Amino acid sequence: MEYHQTRRPWPQKGGGMARHSSTTSPLWIQGGKAHGNKGPRSYHFMLNYQARVWGLIHTLSAKFAQDDVKFVENLEIPSDDPEYIDELIDKRGWALSTLFVDKTDKFPSNLTRATMNILRVNMLPAYGLNVHDMLKHKNLVMTKAAVEHIEEKLLFAQRRLDVKQKGASSRLGSDVEMPTHNSFGSLS
């Protein structure tokens, strides 16, 4: 980045040239930017509802086809030792990166303490399950309650009727008249 001085390029009078106060003005080549950034910019982007639903369905299907989804009754473990989790993962043949999913966000305290210092093992409630976390972890360990909850939510989302109605109401046909303003400023 090149830095500019803020002094005048030439005296205001007597040179026969137009007056300029600084070469950092937007009029100058390599000058400043007119109406530049006013603050931090948010790059937040959210996919539409159906795209998120289909992403979850396809990712879960791919994980299941690759035999990367494991089902357990609950997440209770007898010890809060991190070595116990490592041995459990090795014994059951799970991959190094494992994501535990339960229906609620209240996980058993033994599992929470055991996985706290292991960076490759994470826990996530079913309502927060997303494509990024599923792809980031090799194995997905889900409880029976979480599977039922996710199945119910995805089936509801697939058969939802108001999504099509919302899309249809946003498109205007030729037979629909738009309200116009009359000379008094009110809608007619």
Side-chain angles (χ1 to χ4, degrees), residues 38-109:
K38 302 295 186 231
R41 180 176 174 185
S42 172
Y43 292 98
H44 176 73
F45 175 76
M46 183 166 257
L47 287 172
N48 63 17
Y49 182 76
Q50 287 298 320
R52 285 181 283 154
V53 168
W54 285 108
L56 283 172
I57 291 170
H58 287 280
T59 308
L60 281 170
S61 299
K63 286 275 189 194
F64 187 75
Q66 296 170 354
D67 200 30
D68 288 338
V69 180
K70 311 298 181 194
F71 303 103
V72 294
E73 189 66 35
N74 57 24
L75 294 176
E76 292 290 338
I77 58 172
S79 173
D80 61 354
D81 187 25
E83 293 174 4
Y84 180 80
I85 287 287
D86 284 335
E87 290 172 9
L88 183 70
I89 289 173
D90 289 340
K91 184 174 79 173
R92 296 203 176 175
W94 297 343
L96 286 177
S97 61
T98 304
L99 179 65
F100 290 101
V101 180
D102 198 5
K103 182 178 179 181
T104 63
D105 52 359
K106 294 282 187 183
F107 287 92
S109 60

Side-chain angles (χ1 to χ4, degrees), residues 178-188:
M178 290 292 294
T180 58
H181 291 280
N182 59 16
S183 60
F184 301 112
S186 60
L187 288 173
S188 58

Side-chain angles (χ1 to χ4, degrees), residues 153-173:
K153 293 294 184 181
L154 289 178
L155 286 175
F156 170 76
Q158 276 186 312
R159 287 156 179 78
R160 197 171 176 157
L161 297 176
D162 61 345
V163 172
K164 292 180 182 177
Q165 291 171 353
K166 286 180 185 177
S169 66
S170 65
R171 291 187 291 273
L172 295 174

Side-chain angles (χ1 to χ4, degrees), residues 7-13 15 17-20 28:
R7 66 178 178 82
R8 288 183 175 275
W10 48 75
Q12 181 165 343
K13 293 185 173 289
M17 296 175 285
R19 57 189 177 190
H20 289 288
W28 285 71

